[in-house]
Amino acid sequence: MQPLPVPCPAPLIPHVTGANAFHDAYRNAMAHNAVFVAIESEGQQWTVKADTLTAGSGHTVTDAVNHAIRAAILSLVDNREAGFDAYTGPVYFMMHGVHSEERAREL
C-alpha cells in the first residue's frame, strides 16, 4: 500500500472493514509517519476514521485546525449525516452512521 497523497482523492481512501484490513492500513500509516484515514462498512452504513497518532510525535493538530474539524463534524451530526456518537479529536476523529460509501470517502 502506497502512502496517500495530500490532499487525498476520495477513491484512494482505503476500505478497512475487518480486523486484518484495518490493522494493515493502520500499520502502513505508522510505517510512513502518515495520518491514518480510512472508511469501513457497518451493514448499510459507513464509518469514517482518522488518527493522527500514526504520523508520529512531531505531528500535531493545532487548536485552530482541531476547532475547525470539530465544528465540521458537529455540523454533520446536526444535519444527520453522521451519528451522535461521533468522536471529534483532538488526535482521533470518527463518524459512524454515514449513509453511503461515496459520502464516507468524501468526508
Side-chain angles (χ1 to χ4, degrees), residues 54-77:
T54 55
S57 60
H59 181 84
T60 59
V61 178
T62 66
D63 288 342
V65 170
N66 189 58
H67 179 70
I69 293 170
R70 179 179 168 78
I73 291 173
L74 292 176
S75 177
L76 291 165
V77 170

Side-chain angles (χ1 to χ4, degrees), residues 20-102:
N20 289 338
F22 175 86
H23 291 298
D24 288 347
Y26 197 86
R27 281 189 213 109
N28 186 54
M30 282 185 4
H32 290 95
N33 289 328
V35 173
F36 170 79
V37 178
I39 62 168
E40 59 186 346
S41 65
E42 296 180 328
Q44 294 184 16
Q45 296 188 332
W46 292 81
T47 296
V48 178
K49 294 182 177 184
D51 186 339
T52 63
L53 291 176
T54 55
S57 60
H59 181 84
T60 59
V61 178
T62 66
D63 288 342
V65 170
N66 189 58
H67 179 70
I69 293 170
R70 179 179 168 78
I73 291 173
L74 292 176
S75 177
L76 291 165
V77 170
D78 287 346
N79 291 329
R80 296 197 169 112
E81 287 191 71
F84 291 107
D85 58 350
Y87 193 78
T88 59
V91 294
Y92 183 73
F93 308 88
M94 182 172 49
M95 292 177 285
H96 293 286
V98 178
H99 297 292
S100 72
E101 179 180 1
E102 180 180 354

